[in-house]
Amino acid sequence: MTIGNLYYFYVELDNAYECLPGSDPVAILKNYGTLDRTDMTFRFDKLGHIIVSGSFKNKNNNYKCAVAFDMQIDTSYIYDILHSLKYFFDELKRIQGHSNFY
C-alpha cells in the first residue's frame, strides 16, 4: 500500500460522499501491485447506507489467506473518516513541502 493508493481512495470517497455529478458512488482502496493484497470498497446506496466490503491478505502466508469483511454502515461515519484523512494529507503536505502523493 502506498500513500498514493490512500490518497486516491480519499479523493474517491470524498467525491462519492458529496455525490458529485458524474461520479460513481463507489470508493476503492486497493494496492495496484501484482500481489493484490488489499481491497476495500465503500459502495453508497440511495438510502444513505454504505456497504463496506473487501479483504486484507496476510504477508506471512504469501498472501494466500485473508481477513474478509462485508458490513453495512451509515454515512454518519464518513465525515470523521474524511476529516482524519484530510488532516493526514495536510500534515504530509506540510512535512514534505508539496502535495504530490503519487
Side-chain angles (χ1 to χ4, degrees):
M1 184 60 55
T2 67
I3 295 297
N5 295 129
L6 185 60
Y7 185 72
Y8 187 71
F9 170 72
Y10 164 64
V11 170
E12 280 188 339
L13 185 61
D14 191 36
N15 288 342
Y17 180 64
E18 294 294 329
C19 299
L20 296 177
S23 68
D24 191 10
V26 173
I28 301 171
L29 176 61
K30 184 174 189 138
N31 71 298
Y32 295 98
T34 58
L35 297 174
D36 195 26
R37 62 184 175 243
T38 302
D39 182 11
M40 181 173 66
T41 301
F42 279 50
R43 190 172 316 280
F44 292 72
D45 71 12
K46 293 178 182 179
L47 300 174
H49 294 102
I50 304 160
I51 306 300
V52 181
S53 59
S55 65
F56 296 105
K57 295 182 180 177
N58 188 335
K59 179 181 179 181
N60 294 332
N61 292 339
N62 295 324
Y63 306 104
K64 293 179 183 174
C65 66
V67 173
F69 51 91
D70 190 18
M71 62 187 162
Q72 183 175 326
I73 62 174
D74 63 55
T75 56
S76 63
Y77 294 101
I78 299 302
Y79 176 81
D80 289 336
I81 293 169
L82 288 171
H83 180 74
S84 296
L85 286 170
K86 181 181 181 330
Y87 177 76
F88 173 79
F89 287 112
D90 286 348
E91 279 299 299
L92 186 57
K93 178 182 176 182
R94 184 186 65 76
I95 292 167
Q96 69 183 19
H98 61 80
S99 60
N100 183 6
F101 304 121
Y102 297 103

